[in-house]
Amino acid sequence: MIISTEWIYIAMGIVCLFCSFYTFFDKTNKRRILSGLFYFIYAITLLFGKIIPPFYIGLMVLAMVVIVAFGGLQKGGYGETAPDELEARRKRLGNWLFLPALLIPILTVLGSKLLVNVKIGSRLLLDPSNPTLVALGVACIIAILTAMLLTKSRPQTAFKESRRLLEAIGWAVVLPQLLATLGTIFTKAGVGTVVSKLITKVTPENSVFWIVFVFCVGMALFTMIMGNAFAAFPVMAAGIAIPFLIKRFGANADQIAAISMFAGYCGTLMTPMAANFNIVPAVLLDLKDKNHVIRVQLPTALMTLAFNIILMYLLVR
């Protein structure tokens, strides 16, 4: 392919690398060396993760954990523009300010749907293994370039603003990768088999409702632990969905997969482990209660989970 998933990770690594350099030289940050080192290590894992042996990547991750554990990760100064000047720019640009943000979802959908099988010569344009991720990466790059043209900013501004957001997110920036890894470890360790044996002991053998109930609630709970429904799904599918709902009761696999992921997303709404959904917004909005987003979402999550249980039961029975 022409644009592979690896290229997207490299682009992310380049941005993170420049951000780490800015942090290293930020004298307003009392922990600039350790903070810069954290983002530098992260950049290296993104740039060279495909060629560095997993053992050494693991050591890098442990080093990042040590930096965070001992308070080495702090925010710096960003030389932000005065409010009056920002307001003047906002009035000048008007609704065009929303264009870069709107381009990301629009171009992602168009790219993943219309360009997935497009070839230039004998090579596919987008990586067929993950066209949506590649389309998202390309859309983000186009959005950044569009924002630079609209605001007449230099490339340095894009890197400095990226650094501001990166430091606002902090340690949570690595959480999605770590949680995805956790799901793989759970699956390899045979947690699904343990769950299957446990279900056999505690639920009536022919009770569709209770198996559906345990499966949906389990998806939500595992998602709360892992912070990601995609990480929870392999474990719960291997332990409950495949042996019981699909093989024993003949449920439609596509329906089970779709509803179970929806049940998992209910867990996403209720956990701080889903940092990019629940903690990062609270940080960016500077909320005093960092769990405020979760508190607001909790009733919706519980009602939606109950709906998923009923829907799956009606489809399976």
Side-chain angles (χ1 to χ4, degrees), residues 39-107:
Y39 297 113
F40 179 78
I41 294 173
Y42 185 48
I44 295 300
T45 63
L46 293 171
L47 288 168
F48 306 109
K50 193 172 183 178
I51 59 176
I52 297 177
F55 175 78
Y56 296 104
I57 292 291
L59 292 179
M60 292 180 188
V61 173
L62 290 176
M64 295 169 70
V65 171
V66 170
I67 291 172
V68 174
F70 286 92
L73 196 61
Q74 292 187 5
K75 298 178 183 178
Y78 311 108
E80 296 177 340
T81 307
D84 292 343
E85 187 176 346
L86 285 175
E87 181 63 18
R89 291 182 182 179
R90 185 192 66 78
K91 290 181 178 179
R92 177 174 60 84
L93 293 172
N95 289 333
W96 286 103
L97 279 171
F98 295 102
L99 180 61
L102 291 173
L103 282 175
I104 295 175
I106 292 172
L107 294 178

Side-chain angles (χ1 to χ4, degrees), residues 176 179-180 222-233 261 264 268 273-274:
L179 293 174
F222 265 80
T223 300
M224 291 175 69
I225 295 170
M226 300 182 182
N228 191 314
F230 289 98
F233 180 74
M261 288 300 291
T268 301
M273 293 298 286

Side-chain angles (χ1 to χ4, degrees), residues 235-304:
V235 176
M236 297 306 296
I240 302 177
I242 295 174
F244 295 100
L245 297 176
I246 296 174
K247 289 185 176 180
R248 179 179 295 182
F249 298 114
N252 183 291
D254 292 337
Q255 293 176 346
I256 294 298
I259 299 172
S260 65
M261 288 300 291
F262 199 10
Y265 295 150
C266 296
T268 301
L269 298 176
M270 299 186 288
T271 177
M273 293 298 286
N276 50 331
F277 290 101
N278 301 328
I279 302 302
V280 171
V283 172
L284 295 179
L285 294 172
D286 199 24
L287 300 178
K288 292 182 179 180
D289 182 3
K290 301 309 178 186
N291 292 317
H292 181 74
V293 175
I294 297 175
R295 297 182 198 280
V296 172
Q297 293 172 163
L298 189 61
T300 302
L302 293 174
M303 288 188 291
T304 306

